[in-house]
Amino acid sequence: MQTFHIHIRGRVQGVGFRPFISRLAAQHNLTGTVANSTDGVHILINADNLQIEKFYDEIQVKAPENAIITEIKREKTRSIHFTGFNIIHSKWEAVPNLLITPDIALCDDCRKEISDTHNRRNAYPFTTCLHCGPRYSIMSALPYDRENTTMAGLKMCGKCEQEYHNINDRRHYSQTNSCPDCAIAMHLYETPDESPLNNQQDIINKLTDSLSSGKIAAVKGIGGYLLLCDASNEETLQTLRTRKHRPNKPFAVLYPDIEKATADLYIDNNETTALKSTVAPIVLCSLKDINTPGLCSSLIAPGLDKVGIMLPYSPLLQLIATQFGKALVATSANLSGSPIIYTDEQALSDLWDIADIILTYDRDIVVPQDDSVWQFTKNGQRIILRRSRGMAPDFYPHQLGGTNEHLLALGADMKSAFALHCNDKVYISQYLGEQGDYQSQQSYTETLDHLLHLFNISPSVIMADAHPGYNTHQKGKELSIAANAPLENIQHHKAHFAAVLAENNLLHKDSSVLGFIWDGTGYGEDHQIWGGEVFRYDQGELDRILYLDYFPQILGDKMSREPRLSAISLLKDHPRSTDMLSQYFSAIEWEYYQKMLSKEDHLLTSSIGRLMDGIAALLEICALNTYEGQAAMELEVLARGYCEDVMECYPLPIRYNRIDWRPMMDEMIDDLINKKEKGFIAKKFYRSLVRLVEQVSDIFDINSLAFSGGVFQNALLVEMISEGLSGNKDVYFHQQLSPNDECIALGQLALYHLQHENETSFSYSNTHLHKQTN
């Protein structure tokens, strides 16, 4: 017998890895120990050469389903005689280097237990096991053990202790274990002043009765509070919209099971798999009928043909949804524009203006997270719209390699998320909101501080968006001074392109790649607003080779909120602009904007996002956005609703390095005058964008095409690109990240690495990453 040390890195804490090793050792009749540490899992084991080979192989083949092994090593060590196999106390003895396990949705076994009247966890709202439950959201320190979570002060009862120490139990060393005998206490508040109801079954009964009577409930979830109400009650839904100051932005819907959901929506295999996954995201699914009796879709998703739905991902939500028995609206509990509320104190202070009843419980949330949101194209391409609960903070696999530095990329202001790269691990935060909001800035700072604390590091290099007005740009300056670390400011759209290159392992591709980076806004190197860019990437060099011809960007961010301003800007010299657009303006407004457009010194934009807004206004779909992206979403719905194939294209000629949109607008106006169906016009516009991509590819003789930017959240456009070009082009979309600005931080990291790999090709100025000219 010899003694071997096995060191395993990756996502190996919070997934049942130590109990798995303990059972595996018992099956092989081996003795030794296993422990968590800040750099993974360490095993010391007595075995001969044949036994260690089998044991080592089976660790990799039979690892727990939620585990990810990124590295496994073994070595002989000094001889130690073990008499049994034990899980020993975790150690903080190394630089933190492991993947952080995200929150894991309710597993099937626990779901069965809470509905089994003969099981001792029947109707227990905090049932968990090794395979499911909160992880990242309750983690206060590493390694992952109960004392380093917000379960620390909750003592297990005798029965739970027996499960915890039983090698054959599903809760062997489960750090979140509890039951009705050592329950996490719940409290239901019906008014701000009265004492709460504390009996768990009475709480569920009272809550579902309140929902049935048209009340709005605030319920503490895994990553923060949710607002629940009856999805079929028009009066309640209108009340919720009024109280949240949210006139049209769609709500998500919680169904008790997939069967009830399929009664109202078309749900394909990809969508079903996603809904039932360990992430359990919100998934956008197509409505069967806009007049479905169990779902007031006109108030849930006004003007849209899809509804975001989810299945219960926690036992508490499962119990509520099952007892209520039909669809519930389930939307983040927050004040308009602010991050999700996650502390009991803030919920009881701020939510009474929205909710009629509030349910809290005594397990604190450390890391607030909204629900992740996905959608799928008809051909199965996943598009992540929001990356949060169940996905953050791990980013694996990645192609950035290892680093001896502590790299911090701060991302952008819209759809913000930051990234850390230390050792060989990359961590990307959950969606952190719009950084123009002060509370979102606080949430961003708290989340960043928490992750830096978990890994016990200070950044040695900081990257930020080059936009001087972004809060993340200013934060980069502050952190640079505080940490005495260099600050690298990186152009927004180059970061987008680098992110999709990095996700698809294209950073070291030996042939050129074209990047179509289309979004709403980003600070350009010429100090204009970019958003309709085509880049060429070749051997570490990145060039802007084409862009949508500029048009006036008026009144800053007001233009993104008012599609009518994009329309009047696009048609400023068109003889029919008054006929087409004056209905959207008062006489005073019209005169004011015409004077503004006549000036020569206004800011310019190349944004395809704003082009889409202008077309939506021109087609009388949406002149004023009540939420971000409304016009573009409704334009997509109009095009998708036109069922006939459209192969015609509007002209988008390329003149030198610019894409001229004016001939398209002329022909589009002719189509309107000739009474062509607006759905046809919308679909023809999307077909024109696909043709443009193909044309650019052919002109430059580059067949590898990558796509990033918020425009590519559009499922119809992505689907048309994939179907239209994949036969003779290689098309690449984001895989683990959203095409929106949540991907910017990864792109900033990727460009930093490229700069250091290609010092002669790239250099940094004080405002942006640019190609060195020789």
Side-chain angles (χ1 to χ4, degrees), residues 69-294:
I69 296 175
T70 61
E71 181 182 6
I72 180 169
K73 301 187 295 189
R74 77 170 190 239
E75 61 181 358
K76 289 181 184 178
T77 187
R78 66 182 180 84
S79 181
I80 306 172
H81 176 68
F82 296 106
T83 57
F85 195 93
N86 296 296
I87 299 174
I88 62 173
H89 195 270
S90 299
K91 302 171 182 178
W92 181 289
E93 57 183 18
V95 175
N97 183 11
L98 72 165
L99 296 176
I100 302 294
T101 302
D103 300 316
I104 305 171
L106 181 66
C107 71
D108 289 340
D109 288 333
C110 288
R111 200 182 305 272
K112 290 173 185 174
E113 286 181 341
I114 62 174
S115 62
D116 181 358
T117 55
H118 301 292
N119 191 284
R120 74 187 192 90
R121 286 187 173 82
N122 174 238
Y124 179 56
F126 305 103
T127 299
T128 65
C129 70
L130 291 172
H131 311 302
C132 69
R135 299 293 192 268
Y136 176 52
S137 64
I138 63 169
M139 191 182 297
S140 55
L142 292 173
Y144 176 75
D145 280 306
R146 192 177 182 109
E147 61 262 32
N148 291 330
T149 73
T150 56
M151 295 287 291
L154 302 169
K155 184 175 172 56
M156 282 186 282
C157 67
K159 291 179 181 177
C160 285
E161 285 278 3
Q162 288 177 0
E163 293 171 332
Y164 187 82
H165 293 291
N166 181 352
I167 191 173
N168 296 312
D169 198 283
R170 201 173 82 251
R171 296 184 172 89
H172 181 44
Y173 267 75
S174 172
Q175 303 304 307
T176 55
N177 200 21
S178 67
C179 76
D181 293 338
C182 53
I184 298 170
M186 282 201 308
H187 316 284
L188 186 69
Y189 295 83
E190 298 181 68
T191 70
D193 304 317
E194 294 179 8
S195 297
L197 190 64
N198 295 315
N199 178 276
Q200 292 198 343
Q201 190 53 55
D202 290 346
I203 286 173
I204 301 296
N205 292 337
K206 180 65 180 179
L207 184 75
T208 52
D209 288 346
S210 297
L211 291 169
S212 297
S213 66
K215 298 289 181 64
I216 298 167
V219 175
K220 190 175 182 180
I222 295 293
Y225 277 81
L226 295 174
L227 295 170
L228 305 182
C229 73
D230 185 347
S232 65
N233 189 319
E234 291 188 23
E235 184 179 351
T236 302
L237 288 168
Q238 192 56 63
T239 299
L240 179 58
R241 289 203 172 278
T242 300
R243 291 179 182 177
K244 280 205 78 177
H245 307 290
R246 184 171 169 168
N248 294 299
K249 189 176 181 180
F251 291 134
V253 176
L254 173 69
Y255 281 92
D257 52 55
I258 195 71
E259 290 74 23
K260 285 188 170 59
T262 52
D264 296 339
L265 301 121
Y266 297 106
I267 306 176
D268 66 21
N269 290 337
N270 289 316
E271 291 159 349
T272 299
T273 300
L275 288 164
K276 292 182 173 182
S277 71
T278 56
V279 176
I282 295 169
V283 179
L284 271 59
C285 299
S286 297
L287 283 161
K288 284 185 174 177
D289 186 344
I290 201 157
N291 297 313
T292 300

Side-chain angles (χ1 to χ4, degrees), residues 330-474:
T331 187
S332 297
N334 59 348
L335 308 178
S336 183
S338 297
I340 190 169
I341 289 173
Y342 70 101
T343 67
D344 299 341
E345 294 75 18
Q346 189 181 6
L348 294 170
S349 168
D350 294 351
L351 288 180
W352 287 114
D353 289 339
I354 304 175
D356 302 304
I357 192 167
I358 299 176
L359 192 160
T360 74
Y361 54 78
D362 293 353
R363 184 183 67 209
D364 289 342
I365 297 168
V366 177
V367 184
Q369 302 165 88
D370 291 280
D371 296 312
S372 293
V373 184
W374 301 356
Q375 69 170 329
F376 292 87
T377 63
K378 286 182 180 178
N379 54 13
Q381 172 72 40
R382 182 180 70 169
I383 303 172
I384 296 171
L385 303 177
R386 184 168 69 202
R387 179 183 176 277
S388 200
R389 177 193 51 77
M391 301 184 75
D394 287 346
F395 181 76
Y396 180 86
H398 70 85
Q399 307 299 325
L400 299 184
T403 177
N404 294 320
E405 301 175 294
H406 298 149
L407 307 177
L408 170 61
L410 296 174
D413 269 27
M414 303 288 287
K415 303 284 189 289
S416 62
F418 64 81
L420 284 171
H421 188 189
C422 43
N423 302 307
D424 59 343
K425 306 293 190 297
V426 172
Y427 309 92
I428 300 180
S429 77
Q430 68 274 27
Y431 161 77
L432 291 167
E434 315 298 340
Q435 292 305 298
D437 175 75
Y438 175 69
Q439 289 185 319
S440 293
Q441 294 170 31
Q442 285 185 307
S443 178
Y444 183 107
T445 298
E446 289 167 1
T447 304
L448 175 57
D449 289 347
H450 178 63
L451 265 184
L452 293 174
H453 165 72
L454 282 183
F455 295 111
N456 193 30
I457 61 171
S458 176
S460 56
V461 180
I462 298 166
M463 286 139 269
D465 194 286
H467 195 314
Y470 272 4
N471 286 285
T472 46
H473 181 93
Q474 298 304 318

Side-chain angles (χ1 to χ4, degrees), residues 17-59:
F17 214 95
R18 290 176 299 174
F20 157 68
I21 294 296
S22 184
R23 287 191 299 274
L24 192 62
Q27 291 166 16
H28 285 266
N29 254 345
L30 300 177
T31 58
T33 64
V34 60
N36 278 345
S37 183
T38 46
D39 62 348
V41 167
H42 291 266
I43 304 165
L44 289 172
I45 197 155
N46 293 149
D48 61 31
N49 289 331
L50 181 61
Q51 288 173 321
I52 195 64
E53 285 292 339
K54 290 182 178 179
F55 183 72
Y56 190 76
D57 289 345
E58 287 191 27
I59 289 174

Side-chain angles (χ1 to χ4, degrees), residues 289-346:
D289 186 344
I290 201 157
N291 297 313
T292 300
L295 198 67
C296 188
S297 58
S298 62
L299 281 171
I300 290 169
L304 304 179
D305 58 354
K306 292 184 178 183
V307 172
I309 69 166
M310 59 180 166
L311 299 179
Y313 53 80
S314 75
L316 175 58
L317 289 178
Q318 183 69 71
L319 292 169
I320 293 169
T322 300
Q323 187 156 320
F324 187 70
K326 54 182 182 176
L328 285 163
V329 160
T331 187
S332 297
N334 59 348
L335 308 178
S336 183
S338 297
I340 190 169
I341 289 173
Y342 70 101
T343 67
D344 299 341
E345 294 75 18
Q346 189 181 6

Side-chain angles (χ1 to χ4, degrees), residues 671-689:
D671 280 349
L672 281 169
I673 292 169
N674 293 325
K675 306 296 184 185
K676 293 286 181 72
E677 287 188 50
K678 290 177 180 176
F680 166 83
I681 294 172
K683 203 163 191 177
K684 184 177 174 182
F685 167 62
Y686 287 122
R687 180 65 63 193
S688 307
L689 294 179

